[in-house]
Amino acid sequence: MKRLLTTACLLVAVMACALAQGGAVRGKIVDAQSKEALEFVTVGVTKAGATDLLKGTVTDIDGNFNINGLANGSYTLSVTFVGYKEVKKNFAISAQSRNVNLRTITIREDSKMLGEVQVMGQRAQMKFEIDKKVFDVDQNISATGGSASDVLTNIPSVEVDSEGEVSLRGSSSVTVWINGKASGLSADNRGEILEQLPAETIQKIEVITNPSAKFSPEGSAGIINIILKEDRKPGYYGSVQAGGDSYGGYNASGNINYSSSKLDAYANMGYRHREHEGGSESVRESEDPLMILRQEGKNEGDGNNIFGRAGLTWHATRNDHLSANFMGMFGDGSRDNSIHYTETRAFGPEPDRYSRFTTSGDDMQMMNFDVGYKHDFGEDHNIDFTLSHNVWKRDAQSEYRTVRDEALSSYQYQENDMENKRWEAQLDYLNKINENHKIEAGYKGSFNRENSPVSTYNDEAHTSDGLDKNLYNRFIYDQDIHALYATYSGRLGKLGFQVGVRGEYWKVNSESRSYAQEFGQEAPTLFEKDYFSLFPSLFLSYELPGGNELQVNYTRRLQRPWGGQLNSFRNITDSTNISYGNPELQPQYSNAYELNYIKNWEDHTLSLSGYYRTTDDVIQRIRYREGNVMYSTDRNVTQSQSAGLEIVAKNKLARAIDLTTTVNLFYYKLDGFRFMMAGQEVTGESDEDFSWNARMMANIILPYSFSLQLTGNYNARQVVAQGYRKANYSLDAGLRKSFWNKKLSLSINARDILDSRRWKTITQTGDTRMVSENWRGGRRIGLTLTYSFGNLTPKRKPAQRDAQQEADSDMMDSYGGAEGGMME
């Protein structure tokens, strides 16, 4: 493992030295009147006295630009943007001044430019920042008409499995946010919410692999932040959309946005009907007694949900801004699951065959409200307060029938309700003292309350006489978190740094009440725990010649057990595979290190990230057998180490093809463990593994306003607790055609073209070996029609470019990343 780390670091260093060349110019473009940063402004460089464009770029969302690869000499920088007067600046590159910072450049509106401007541009699909990667997915064709889960499957280093579980760089210890907040998402429900969140509402995805002290330390692998659209543009703008897929699903949605100098508002409403199916197969072999159990499962279902969002920001004064936002999901779903068993024993009678059928349905609602106040003391100096409240409720009913010899042998009906309420209060202070010094500090309080009763009946009438008291449960879970953080960012010459620390105090109370405890016959068992921990972070960056940059960072992370992992109630969905939680679980802590290298060419970008992470008290799902029943639960089992090299390449070919390639090479070692469970010894051998995955996304601009997108993905064999998961691969495609001056577009997408999204796992527990395979969905063809409308005016922070700028900027790369290949 040390040899792998050394090799990764050497590779980064060699690439840095080999690619370092040329000078660079950078700066920031702002509106002269409003002082707001302007994105998508075209910035070009010509030789002094010449007219031919030498290099160029467009500004990012914060108005920043960076042009590198400039030889020594005198140059003219020109700034052009639709609706604004052109600005020119002279500068020189020399041996003594390799990196020129023009700082803030102001541009003014051109009053002679009147009327509506037709726009069509290409948006930067990927951007690198000091602590995160940002992926613009607004124009992701292959996920059109799909869900947030579909979008995430196309993000480098992110994976979504058959159960909707999200992982980052091969680790499921990841936090998922919506608009920078938990928004009610937890490991209990995020798979279900992401499956219902419409893809067309998402603007971009931020992947923060090593978050600073400003962010929650939750999630050892990092944070995935889903940013939803708000479209702050002048005038009004909106669209309506409708689509369907080959499984019988369909959707319709509409959104509208309004913006003025005093008011910003948006609203979005959508309906989605989903049809889905999946399956499973497994073979379990045990030596004592010699037995083989085969299982074949099939599941199918449907769902209906309404998704709505609305928000309002009032600019009371130039420096005071009040906001209110609402997001909600309301829906229901049904599922039918069948599992057919064949049990064969050595020297026994004929194989025993029986089936278990599950029919379930649920009603779900999720609502998130937040209000905020922001005061600007000046540019990059503000205080921001947000108060939010989230409610997640699900009422589920399930029927379990076991059939043997074509006769009903057992029946159970279960009501499983969940209600989770969360309050969050956050106060952030930002003061950018000057170009080289910035401080941030703040407080965040999170208060979570969960109540989940489960009742099981053995009669079809569901009467009180049929209540199975042994299977009654009420799970109560409370968690309060208080956090204070402070960070300081600075620059000394070419060295940039950020140091920070976050202190968190939290307490957890949980109860898993039986029938006797619930109704006063026995005293409930209360698990009370409290913790305090410090989470430091350090980020260093160094500018090398030629626009190259090295970054080194360290953070301390943790993964807290989520509610379901602490609930000792035993799930009976499959009577031969019973799972339950562990109220004694402790948090797992990680120390994470990263070394990043970024290099930009005119049409290419390369990012290398070497990372190393150690984790204590690793939470793993472990299995053990009692007779014919396999049990599974969570334990803090051991320590682990992981290291890897992530390579992200962005290449623009022939002006019409944009490739994003990600290769993730990683090493993982899980130490061995041995402990007693239910009177028997449970062991796991020390295991280490080298694995890798790769993904390539190709965006191709075709004639006649066609756009094509292809996404291929491969995951190599990977170690899991007590076994490994076999390799898998997939291919998606999308095609879009624009009509009627680009106001109307038709998208056709194909998900899982090769019908290969399957997860096959092999585990060994004592004398029992299990091979299981799961899949969800399969090949799916979708069609979506979108109509856009609006009355935009070229005022305050326009977000697109005109056709002439598009033609010029086809040759340019954006700051921190080459241009994306998506047509707007």
Side-chain angles (χ1 to χ4, degrees):
M1 188 272 296
K2 292 182 178 178
R3 187 175 300 171
L4 175 65
L5 284 176
T6 303
T7 303
C9 294
L10 286 175
L11 177 59
V12 171
V14 170
M15 291 296 296
C17 296
L19 298 174
Q21 54 184 352
V25 60
R26 60 190 174 99
K28 180 176 182 178
I29 310 299
V30 301
D31 183 286
Q33 183 176 359
S34 68
K35 304 302 181 184
E36 291 185 352
L38 299 174
E39 61 176 323
F40 291 129
V41 177
T42 300
V43 182
V45 171
T46 59
K47 282 282 190 180
T51 58
D52 294 337
L53 181 68
L54 183 65
K55 284 183 175 292
T57 187
V58 292
T59 57
D60 65 15
I61 194 171
D62 297 317
N64 296 310
F65 67 87
N66 186 62
I67 299 175
N68 50 57
L70 300 175
N72 292 347
S74 298
Y75 298 93
T76 298
L77 181 136
S78 60
V79 180
T80 57
F81 195 41
V82 59
Y84 287 79
K85 297 179 180 179
E86 182 179 12
V87 172
K88 294 188 176 184
K89 297 280 186 179
N90 296 321
F91 69 96
I93 299 293
S94 66
Q96 293 75 32
S97 180
R98 305 291 291 166
N99 293 280
V100 176
N101 186 354
L102 297 179
R103 302 189 183 279
T104 301
I105 301 174
T106 58
I107 59 176
R108 298 183 180 277
E109 292 184 7
D110 190 345
S111 59
K112 295 180 181 180
M113 298 191 67
L114 303 174
E116 187 175 341
V117 179
Q118 178 183 343
V119 296
M120 86 173 219
Q122 289 185 319
R123 191 170 294 175
Q125 190 180 1
M126 180 174 65
K127 182 175 67 173
F128 299 96
E129 297 183 5
I130 190 170
D131 59 351
K132 61 188 173 186
K133 297 182 180 70
V134 182
F135 301 89
D136 193 314
V137 299
D138 183 23
Q139 302 295 312
N140 191 318
I141 306 173
S142 64
T144 302
S147 65
S149 295
D150 299 323
V151 174
L152 289 174
T153 60
N154 290 323
I155 300 299
S157 299
V158 178
E159 183 182 357
V160 183
D161 68 13
S162 62
E163 303 299 324
E165 179 65 41
V166 180
S167 60
L168 177 62
R169 288 179 174 173
S171 173
S172 60
S173 178
V174 59
T175 297
V176 181
W177 286 343
I178 298 177
N179 289 340
K181 306 183 187 71
S183 301
L185 269 68
S186 68
D188 288 302
N189 61 33
R190 71 185 181 198
E192 187 171 353
I193 292 178
L194 294 176
E195 182 61 30
Q196 298 181 66
L197 182 64
E200 62 268 16
T201 65
I202 301 174
Q203 178 67 45
K204 59 186 178 181
I205 305 289
E206 296 179 343
V207 177
I208 312 172
T209 54
N210 214 13
S212 71
K214 178 180 179 179
F215 300 99
S216 167
E218 188 80 33
S220 303
I223 298 170
I224 298 173
N225 187 21
I226 301 172
I227 304 295
L228 303 182
K229 297 177 183 177
E230 292 187 10
D231 283 341
R232 296 293 195 251
K233 300 176 184 178
Y236 70 91
Y237 169 83
S239 67
V240 291
Q241 186 177 81
D245 62 52
S246 57
Y247 274 53
Y250 51 88
N251 62 87
S253 64
N255 70 85
I256 188 166
N257 305 269
Y258 172 79
S259 183
S260 69
S261 59
K262 279 291 184 183
L263 197 66
D264 292 322
Y266 67 91
N268 170 226
M269 180 69 73
Y271 171 80
R272 188 171 183 226
H273 173 77
R274 309 179 314 282
E275 297 278 351
H276 54 85
E277 64 180 40
S280 62
E281 294 178 353
S282 69
V283 178
R284 194 169 81 205
E285 301 178 359
S286 60
E287 298 177 3
D288 185 19
L290 185 59
M291 182 189 73
I292 299 176
L293 178 63
R294 299 181 184 275
Q295 296 178 216
E296 295 181 359
K298 180 180 180 181
N299 62 77
E300 56 186 14
D302 59 43
N304 303 276
N305 73 283
I306 296 174
F307 174 82
R309 295 177 63 238
L312 185 71
T313 300
W314 176 41
H315 307 287
T317 70
R318 185 181 184 87
N319 298 322
D320 298 284
H321 317 277
L322 298 170
S323 64
N325 299 276
F326 166 79
M327 178 174 65
M329 283 187 193
F330 309 88
D332 57 53
S334 64
R335 288 169 297 280
D336 292 309
N337 176 267
S338 61
I339 305 176
H340 304 285
Y341 303 85
T342 302
E343 184 178 312
T344 305
R345 293 178 180 269
F347 313 111
E350 292 295 319
D352 184 16
R353 293 184 174 89
Y354 56 98
S355 301
R356 186 168 176 84
F357 300 93
T358 303
T359 300
S360 59
D362 60 59
D363 297 307
M364 182 275 295
Q365 59 177 285
M366 187 271 280
M367 294 179 290
N368 188 84
F369 308 85
D370 69 70
V371 293
Y373 169 70
K374 181 181 179 183
H375 177 75
D376 296 320
F377 300 100
E379 186 177 2
D380 296 322
H381 185 195
N382 59 65
I383 189 168
D384 194 351
F385 174 75
T386 303
L387 178 66
S388 64
H389 179 54
N390 183 273
V391 177
W392 159 263
K393 294 181 66 177
R394 187 186 67 179
D395 298 330
Q397 307 84 36
S398 301
E399 286 186 318
Y400 306 101
R401 290 181 170 87
T402 301
V403 175
R404 191 185 302 268
D405 299 326
E406 299 184 357
L408 181 66
S409 63
S410 70
Y411 172 88
Q412 288 173 326
Y413 173 81
Q414 190 175 87
E415 294 178 345
N416 188 345
D417 301 335
M418 174 185 289
E419 182 175 29
N420 183 289
K421 296 181 179 180
R422 180 194 297 265
W423 284 93
E424 288 187 349
Q426 185 163 346
L427 180 67
D428 295 303
Y429 174 75
L430 165 68
N431 186 3
K432 189 174 182 180
I433 301 169
N434 54 41
E435 191 69 22
N436 294 323
H437 300 279
K438 180 175 70 174
I439 58 173
E440 294 180 88
Y443 163 82
K444 182 175 183 180
S446 179
F447 313 95
N448 189 70
R449 302 291 181 266
E450 181 178 320
N451 192 330
S452 305
V454 177
S455 299
T456 305
Y457 300 84
N458 293 322
D459 65 331
E460 297 193 39
H462 314 151
T463 64
S464 58
D465 292 337
L467 178 66
D468 190 334
K469 296 180 180 180
N470 293 324
L471 294 176
Y472 178 88
N473 178 256
R474 179 183 292 275
F475 181 62
I476 300 173
Y477 171 72
D478 298 337
Q479 177 175 264
D480 295 343
I481 304 174
H482 299 272
L484 290 170
Y485 78 88
T487 67
Y488 173 69
S489 305
R491 177 167 291 276
L492 300 172
K494 296 181 178 181
L495 177 66
F497 62 89
Q498 182 196 87
V499 294
V501 65
R502 185 183 187 94
E504 289 202 353
Y505 167 78
W506 72 99
K507 63 178 181 178
V508 178
N509 296 335
S510 67
E511 296 180 61
S512 186
R513 295 184 180 179
S514 66
Y515 182 89
Q517 291 171 332
E518 175 70 8
F519 295 99
Q521 300 170 16
E522 295 179 7
T525 301
L526 177 63
F527 291 88
E528 296 180 295
K529 303 172 186 176
D530 63 344
Y531 307 85
F532 175 77
S533 193
L534 293 175
F535 301 92
S537 66
L538 173 64
F539 290 77
L540 300 173
S541 65
Y542 188 77
E543 291 184 4
L544 299 169
N548 299 273
E549 187 172 1
L550 277 176
Q551 300 173 351
V552 180
N553 56 64
Y554 160 77
T555 65
R556 185 172 187 246
R557 312 286 301 158
L558 92 160
Q559 180 184 345
R560 299 180 181 94
W562 47 272
Q565 288 180 311
L566 299 173
N567 187 2
S568 58
F569 176 66
R570 301 196 171 195
N571 189 317
I572 62 167
T573 304
D574 181 352
S575 59
T576 64
N577 293 282
I578 296 178
S579 62
Y580 62 97
N582 176 11
E584 300 288 356
L585 278 179
Q586 299 293 318
Q588 67 176 36
Y589 294 90
S590 298
N591 293 294
Y593 308 83
E594 283 197 12
L595 173 62
N596 301 314
Y597 167 74
I598 299 173
K599 167 63 179 176
N600 296 305
W601 292 270
E602 185 171 350
D603 292 321
H604 309 282
T605 297
L606 176 66
S607 167
L608 302 177
S609 298
Y611 57 91
Y612 174 64
R613 183 171 63 244
T614 62
T615 303
D616 297 321
D617 292 326
V618 175
I619 299 174
Q620 284 279 341
R621 199 73 173 167
I622 59 100
R623 293 184 173 93
Y624 64 95
R625 183 170 60 88
E626 289 185 355
N628 191 31
V629 180
M630 180 69 76
Y631 291 91
S632 62
T633 188
D634 293 286
R635 285 288 300 259
N636 297 99
V637 293
T638 187
Q639 290 76 43
S640 71
Q641 301 176 65
S642 59
L645 177 65
E646 183 182 60
I647 306 170
V648 180
K650 198 87 163 116
N651 300 283
K652 190 169 187 179
L653 309 175
R655 299 180 59 183
I657 302 175
D658 184 274
L659 297 179
T660 301
T661 306
T662 304
V663 178
N664 191 13
L665 313 169
F666 55 92
Y667 165 87
Y668 180 74
K669 181 181 179 181
L670 184 68
D671 292 347
F673 55 88
R674 184 184 303 270
F675 53 85
M676 299 300 295
M677 176 71 72
Q680 61 180 286
E681 188 176 61
V682 177
T683 64
E685 297 297 327
S686 177
D687 203 354
E688 57 184 336
D689 184 41
F690 175 80
S691 187
W692 62 281
N693 58 54
R695 176 178 291 147
M696 176 177 284
M697 178 183 289
N699 295 302
I700 306 169
I701 300 176
L702 302 174
Y704 305 107
S705 298
F706 277 99
S707 299
L708 175 66
Q709 184 180 87
L710 298 171
T711 303
N713 187 70
Y714 178 82
N715 295 293
R717 177 186 183 274
Q718 185 177 347
V719 166
V720 298
Q722 298 175 300
Y724 64 92
R725 187 180 66 194
K726 299 191 71 173
N728 61 72
Y729 57 91
S730 62
L731 177 65
D732 300 332
L735 181 68
R736 172 180 288 144
K737 164 66 176 173
S738 298
F739 305 90
W740 196 17
N741 208 20
K742 296 195 175 297
K743 291 185 177 181
L744 188 68
S745 67
L746 177 66
S747 299
I748 301 174
N749 61 75
R751 301 276 302 164
D752 198 10
I753 295 174
L754 304 177
D755 196 17
S756 57
R757 272 198 176 95
R758 294 169 177 252
W759 292 263
K760 189 170 185 178
T761 304
I762 299 173
T763 59
Q764 182 78 40
T765 307
D767 65 349
T768 302
R769 184 175 187 266
M770 185 170 179
V771 179
S772 60
E773 184 174 16
N774 298 274
W775 58 92
R776 182 178 67 171
R779 189 180 298 109
R780 184 187 298 256
I781 309 297
L783 184 147
T784 303
L785 187 66
T786 303
Y787 172 71
S788 301
F789 59 88
N791 180 25
L792 303 178
T793 56
K795 295 180 181 179
R796 55 181 298 271
K797 199 176 181 180
Q800 293 173 302
R801 296 165 284 167
D802 65 3
Q804 180 60 48
Q805 288 175 312
E806 163 63 19
D808 292 341
S809 64
D810 269 345
M811 300 179 292
M812 306 175 185
D813 62 356
S814 66
Y815 172 66
E819 281 286 305
M822 303 301 241
M823 297 299 295
E824 293 185 357

